[in-house]
Amino acid sequence: MANPQTLAKHYARLLSLWPKDALRPNLPFTKTIEYRALAFGLKPETAAESTKTTDVKKTAAPYKPGDARVELANVNALFLLLEDKFKRKHLLPPEALKPTSNPGHYDRLMEEIERAPKKSWWSAKVDEWKMKIRWK
């Protein structure tokens, strides 16, 4: 059975290991993890620097944890996500990422996602306008 201190340590470890979201820095998943951790006594100082505890407290109702076993299962599921366990267990066949109608779609999509955080406001707007015009 997990006690609140153990759960708080698990949440603190998750917050320290969780990757930063470069695409949406204003909506990090770590805010959700921190919100859950606050109910177990995790101090805001030990939380990830990218999240603001005050924002979490102001925008959401206080989290009331239920059964400790269920909460521990939730923490374990987050660790499995962090380790890409499900991605490795359920591999996609290569054809799924290369549809015959548009084989380069997912490659271009990943390139765009990697470029997006580095774009200036102007280049993002130009790209948005380009998508609204049919070039054929």
Side-chain angles (χ1 to χ4, degrees), residues 42-95:
L42 183 69
K43 302 288 184 263
E45 296 81 37
T46 62
E49 296 89 28
S50 65
T51 61
K52 292 183 181 172
T53 308
T54 53
D55 293 345
V56 174
K57 286 181 181 178
K58 288 179 187 175
T59 60
Y63 172 67
K64 294 181 176 66
D67 186 12
R69 286 177 292 165
V70 173
E71 198 64 38
L72 187 58
N74 291 339
V75 168
N76 287 335
L78 286 171
F79 275 112
L80 291 174
L81 284 172
L82 189 63
E83 297 166 0
D84 277 339
K85 173 114 179 173
F86 303 109
K87 181 180 178 182
R88 287 184 276 126
K89 185 177 179 181
H90 305 284
L91 293 174
L92 285 174
E95 317 72 68

Side-chain angles (χ1 to χ4, degrees), residues 22-23 108-119:
L23 192 59
R108 286 191 305 275
L109 181 62
M110 289 309 296
E111 288 171 9
E112 180 61 28
I113 287 173
E114 289 169 4
R115 265 195 322 256
K118 300 172 190 115
K119 283 185 183 178

Side-chain angles (χ1 to χ4, degrees), residues 33-45:
I33 297 171
E34 184 179 332
Y35 170 70
R36 300 288 293 252
L38 290 174
F40 296 100
L42 183 69
K43 302 288 184 263
E45 296 81 37

Side-chain angles (χ1 to χ4, degrees), residues 10-20 30 48 79 82-83:
H10 287 315
Y11 276 121
R13 182 155 159 65
L14 275 168
L15 284 168
S16 69
L17 295 174
W18 206 266
K20 305 279 186 269
T30 51
F79 275 112
L82 189 63
E83 297 166 0

